[in-house]
Amino acid sequence: MSDSSIPVQRRRRKEARPHELTAAALTLFVEKGYAATRLDEVAARAGVSKGTLYLYFDSKEALFQAVIREGVVPAIEAGEAMFAEPGSDPRALLRAFLEAWWARIGSTELGGIPRLIMAEAANFPEVARYYNDAVIQRGLALLRGAVQRGIDQGVFRAVDTTVIDVLLISPLIHLAGWRSSLAPCCGSNIDPDAYVQAHIDMVLHGLAATPSGASS
């Protein structure tokens, strides 16, 4: 049977299934971890049979990679497109990168993925390597690039760019991990948006070639 002979409603349902499966998988991966998540649970959460799941994904690793490609990689690609724009202000660029990471990843269900990777990388090195190549290294390269551009333009002071990328993102990863682990059971008195803005403010002041208030 050709696709054209399938009723439109059924075709739309078929086309939606991969997204429904990745959405269900993301929720379970964050809730239970990679090792403890079973494919039959993902199928049940998505409202399909396990056989249907295997029509789209032949393994849990393939499903995890699809979650990352669908949810995280577009954010990295958007950052790469921003970085490629000529004449961008390094300060505005760095702020945009950090704010976008929080808005698109850290503050969402995807914010639980870094904690999952750190917890289970030793047992699932192939999964960790995929995430490192597809997300971590590309994201860190953007942060390093923005800082180096600022140094080259004289708006940032010279810093060690081999470590600055991790220092820039680690506080946001910590906030995302805390919100998906301790905060639900221990309460929260931290305003995430205020935290993010305070972090960015300290970053930009700390990198400034001429500290605020200093005489020229």
Side-chain angles (χ1 to χ4, degrees), residues 15-183:
E15 292 165 358
R17 278 180 181 154
H19 174 71
E20 292 168 356
L21 288 164
T22 55
L26 172 60
T27 297
L28 287 168
F29 284 145
V30 172
E31 285 179 0
K32 304 184 66 173
Y34 184 83
T37 296
R38 303 196 313 270
L39 291 180
D40 57 343
E41 292 177 302
V42 175
R45 181 71 66 99
V48 302
S49 68
K50 189 174 179 180
T52 297
L53 184 151
Y54 274 110
L55 291 176
Y56 301 97
F57 307 105
D58 61 7
S59 66
K60 183 161 61 172
E61 184 176 337
L63 181 57
F64 177 82
Q65 291 181 4
V67 168
I68 301 306
R69 283 196 306 272
E70 183 178 299
V72 183
V73 170
I76 299 293
E77 293 173 339
E80 291 169 339
M82 289 171 55
F83 187 78
E85 293 177 3
S88 54
D89 176 3
R91 291 161 295 198
L93 195 59
L94 197 53
R95 176 180 291 278
F97 286 164
L98 295 173
E99 288 180 340
W101 187 91
W102 181 252
R104 298 186 63 169
I105 299 174
S107 65
T108 73
E109 207 168 25
L110 292 165
I113 295 294
R115 180 168 61 90
L116 177 155
I117 292 294
M118 288 186 280
E120 305 198 49
N123 293 324
F124 300 97
E126 290 302 320
V127 170
R129 276 192 285 269
Y130 172 80
Y131 187 77
N132 180 64
D133 293 342
V135 176
I136 295 175
Q137 293 307 316
R138 291 170 69 183
L140 293 180
L142 287 173
L143 295 174
R144 285 196 306 275
V147 172
Q148 187 61 58
R149 184 174 292 179
I151 294 170
D152 294 342
Q153 293 181 12
V155 298
F156 291 159
R157 63 188 179 87
V159 295
D160 185 350
T161 56
T162 65
V163 298
I164 193 65
D165 47 8
V166 176
L167 292 172
L168 290 173
I169 197 63
S170 290
L172 301 189
I173 292 175
H174 170 79
L175 177 62
W178 181 81
R179 291 184 73 224
S180 65
S181 57
L182 285 173

